[in-house]
């Protein structure tokens, strides 16, 4: 049996699959996406159950896709297929008819299950009843719901301080569940709310709050359909948000220029075959990117500054024709300081730092210098760096210079990951709530909420490891596999008295646990949720601020599963007892009552129950979208910022590694072993490497290597990867996560957002040596 750290890091194998490398695709979707989707539906829920779910997914009277947060069209939703390949796979994964019963856990120890890969664990089936791993036990055992809540409550009440518990949230948690969850935890007495935003777009929220006054994007989906330019930077839409491709196609058709900036030339940036149109099958793909810039990993800030500098030079030649001075004067502060900074910038040096020819930078400037309707799109290729906030600040600088915020066809678009991650934050899942938010809770409910900031993800892991946290409660997600520094995080979890996970399926976070562990099975997004013989619905917020209902349509795989809202309410009663002032039974029996109280606390939710029942839901207020700015430091104004370039020098034997998604996964959920757009089949433990680097270091395609990082003086190792030659900048490499999260130090974070730097990990590559030979 592997040692503890090997179990924690999704296996360090001595054996690999038979890797098959094919040609890199130059376009995304088309017939292969449909074939792959059908295969997953047939294998998991079956044709009848699968089709029934697909007919209602992302429809106005159906359920929200459990995958990404890309918005549904306001008007022209397709009657049959308003979903993508990723959405189909996500539905197939949760709608499977495979079940994990008490008998399964009796036959399989935790150690046996830990030997499986993350994909194998996820394919086992749906959880069907609460399970408990007693102290010292090797097998999970069944436990009743009441006994589970009682035991969790006893652990929480035994803590000397409520701050010794942390309450994690995954992006799939509904608005209703998020609200009652934060209400319970704050009545308990802590703001310890680590959540998945801390690892994906915390940098976006931090930057946008400081610069434009709202930590969300400013565009609507319709803006993509009629704009002058779309600049996509650090985002791979073909894999991470495939439905975005339809919006890009519409924008292209209306005359928009598309500029793609990314270290890897991803298929979804280059071309698109729309599977909902005949020509998507019969003809050549629609060309998307008019210009592709292959920037070095984490040198986007230098590139953005080079673009700014050349725009400024153009502005000096034709004053008032490049920069929007009316917008700048009316809506911003800090312009003169920015111009003074740009005077000192050298575009040649900046372009060289970015690894992009200056001629290409000039091409970007030529495309956008006389345009004001520009949409800036970014993803985790921008946020997951130690300078993530600074880079987004620079994107905002460019948008403000062009007056490209607060008007149709223009704005800022961070592409969120999970389907309600933005709604979680709106509903106060946040370790640093604003004082006015806490004042509102006190006014409405009558208890004094905690005022001191709580722990985010990184701080939670450190607090677990140093003994300041004793209980972990996870509302969805796969905390261990999603977080940095896998070995360190596993050690932290093992030091706890109790770990609890609310889940639909088994994952590695159930297998690396505290002294005791409890699994609480919950309904999925597509499951019917019936309370008091009435079919319920919940609501979510997409990445463009639309709140809409989500009503499951499939029969659950087990009769005694509970919705997350029900779980929170019953746990709150068991924990708080007579000292609570909240009507938990009222919430459990009526999600309408939850929404009524959300309306009293959260701005923008007026007439919540009425408006959420309207087809398509409603938009939340968005000041910057309406040209109203309220940056952190300057009320009523958006703020330009001065952002310094980070200095990093790689030694000759070092590489900068970005961890990325395979096309066959969503976040930590692994659907399969095929990354067809990048030509990688039947294996995940691969290292994408520039051929010049391979030759320099004496490597060849197919060589087996071990990866090492040495951040903060600690050697971390991920063993046994296969080198795949790839079109990637020199001294840059890429791997799939979570396999290489073990290389990411808990201390390598953006200083402003405290986000882990998952896409800029300095590594060394060495020939593989098996453990038996060491």
């Amino acid at each position: 049996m592997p040692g503890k750290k090997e179990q924690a890091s999704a296996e360090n194998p001595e054996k690999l699959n038979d890797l098959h490398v094919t040609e890199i695709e130059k376009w995304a979707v088309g017939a292969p996406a449909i074939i792959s989707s059908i295969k997953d539906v047939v294998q998991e829920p079956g044709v009848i159950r699968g089709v029934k779910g697909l007919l209602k997914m992302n429809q106005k009277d159906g359920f929200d896709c459990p995958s990404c947060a890309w918005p549904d069209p306001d008007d022209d939703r397709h009657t049959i297929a308003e979903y993508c390949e990723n959405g189909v796979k996500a539905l197939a994964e949760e709608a499977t008819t495979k079940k994990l019963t008490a008998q399964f856990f009796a036959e399989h120890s935790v150690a046996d299950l830990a030997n499986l890969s993350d994909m194998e664990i996820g394919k086992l089936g749906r959880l069907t009843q609460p399970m408990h791993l007693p102290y010292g036990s090797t097998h999970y055992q069944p436990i009743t719901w009441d006994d589970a809540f009682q035991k969790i409550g006893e652990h929480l009440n035994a803590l000397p301080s409520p701050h010794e518990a942390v309450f994690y949230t995954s992006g799939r948690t509904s608005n209703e569940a998020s609200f009652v969850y934060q209400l319970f935890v704050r009545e308990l007495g802590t703001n310890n709310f680590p959540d998945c935003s801390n690892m994906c777009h915390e940098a976006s929220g931090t930057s946008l709050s400081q610069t434009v006054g709202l930590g969300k994007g400013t565009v609507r989906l319709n803006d993509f359909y009629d704009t002058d330019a779309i600049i996509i930077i650090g985002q791979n839409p073909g894999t991470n948000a495939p439905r975005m491709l339809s919006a890009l196609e519409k924008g292209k058709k209306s005359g928009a220029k598309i500029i793609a900036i990314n270290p890897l030339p991803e298929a979804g940036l280059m071309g698109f075959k729309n599977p909902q149109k005949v020509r998507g099958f019969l003809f050549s793909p629609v060309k998307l990117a008019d210009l592709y810039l292959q920037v070095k990993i984490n040198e986007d800030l230098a590139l953005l500054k080079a673009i700014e500098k050349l725009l400024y030079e153009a502005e000096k030649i034709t004053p008032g024709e490049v920069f929007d001075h009316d917008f700048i004067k009316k809506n911003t502060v800090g312009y003169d300081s920015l111009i003074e900074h740009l005077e000192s910038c050298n575009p040649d040096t900046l372009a060289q730092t970015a690894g992009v020819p200056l001629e290409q930078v000039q091409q970007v400037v030529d495309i956008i210098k006389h345009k004001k309707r520009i949409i800036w799109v970014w993803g985790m290729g921008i946020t997951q760096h130690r300078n993530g906030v600074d880079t987004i600040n620079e994107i905002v600088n460019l948008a403000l210079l062009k007056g490209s915020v607060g008007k149709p066809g223009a704005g800022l678009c961070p592409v969120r990951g999970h389907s309600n991650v933005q709604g979680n934050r709106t509903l106060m899942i946040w370790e640093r709530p604003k004082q006015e938010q806490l004042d509102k809770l006190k006014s409405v409910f009558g208890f004094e909420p905690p005022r001191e900031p709580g722990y985010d993800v990184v701080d939670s892991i450190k607090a677990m490891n140093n003994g300041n946290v004793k209980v972990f409660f996870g509302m969805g997600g796969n905390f261990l596999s999603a977080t940095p520094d896998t070995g360190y995080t596993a050690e932290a979890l093992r030091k706890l008295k109790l770990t609890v996970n609310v889940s639909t399926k088994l994952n590695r976070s159930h297998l690396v646990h505290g002294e005791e562990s409890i699994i609480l099975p919950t309904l999925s997004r597509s499951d019917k949720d019936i309370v008091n013989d009435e079919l319920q619905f919940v609501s979510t917020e997409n990445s463009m601020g639309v709140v809409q209902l989500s009503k499951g349509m499939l029969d659950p795989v087990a009769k005694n599963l509970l919705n997350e809202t029900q779980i929170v309410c019953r746990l709150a009663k068991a924990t708080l007892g007579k000292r609570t002032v909240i009507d938990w039974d009222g919430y459990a029996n009526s999600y309408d009552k939850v929404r009524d109280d959300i309306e009293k606390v959260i701005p923008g939710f007026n007439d919540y129950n009425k408006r959420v029942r309207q087809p398509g839901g409603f938009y939340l207020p968005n000041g910057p979208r309406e040209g109203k700015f309220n940056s952190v430091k300057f009320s009523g104004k958006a703020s330009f910022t001065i952002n310094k370039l980070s200095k990093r020098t790689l030694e000759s034997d070092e590489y900068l590694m970005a961890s990325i998604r395979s096309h066959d996964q969503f976040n930590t959920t692994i659907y399969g072993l095929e990354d067809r757009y990048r030509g990688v089949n039947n294996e995940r433990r691969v290292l994408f490497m520039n051929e010049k680097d391979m030759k320099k270091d004496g490597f060849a395609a197919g060589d087996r290597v071990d990866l090492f990082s040495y951040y903060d003086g600690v050697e971390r190792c991920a063993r046994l990867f296969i080198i795949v030659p790839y079109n990637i900048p020199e001294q840059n490499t890429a791997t799939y996560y979570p396999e290489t999260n073990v290389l990411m130090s808990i201390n390598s974070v953006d200083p402003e957002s405290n986000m882990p730097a998952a896409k800029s990990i300095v590594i060394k590559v060495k020939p593989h040596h098996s453990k038996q030979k060491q």
Side-chain angles (χ1 to χ4, degrees), residues 55 58 65 97 103-104 128 322 499 579 749:
L55 290 174
N58 292 330
C65 176
T97 54
Q103 183 64 31
F104 171 87
T128 59
V322 178
T499 49
R579 67 181 188 270
V749 299

Side-chain angles (χ1 to χ4, degrees), residues 230-241:
I230 302 169
I231 300 176
I232 307 167
I233 179 168
Q235 164 68 4
N236 175 16
T239 289
N240 299 342

Side-chain angles (χ1 to χ4, degrees), residues 562-583:
L562 296 179
N563 178 283
E564 293 164 317
T565 301
Q566 301 275 330
I567 289 173
V568 172
C569 291
R570 290 179 63 175
L571 176 59
K573 287 181 62 181
T575 304
L576 300 174
K578 294 182 179 180
R579 67 181 188 270
T580 186
V581 297
I582 309 298
D583 181 11

Side-chain angles (χ1 to χ4, degrees), residues 228 318 321-322 365-372 402:
D228 297 324
T318 56
E321 294 186 16
V322 178
V365 172
D366 290 342
I367 290 173
I368 69 172
K369 64 182 178 181
H370 295 308
K371 294 178 172 62
K372 294 182 180 179
K402 298 296 297 175

Side-chain angles (χ1 to χ4, degrees), residues 27 52 60 84 103 109 115 151 197 219 237 269 285 293 332 400 456 531 539 545 675 678 740 752:
W27 53 268
K52 182 179 179 181
K60 293 181 179 179
C84 67
Q103 183 64 31
S109 69
N115 282 324
K151 182 170 286 293
S197 281
V219 298
L269 296 170
L293 283 67
T332 73
L400 297 179
D456 62 9
V531 178
S539 57
D675 192 3
R678 300 189 184 105
T740 50
E752 292 193 64

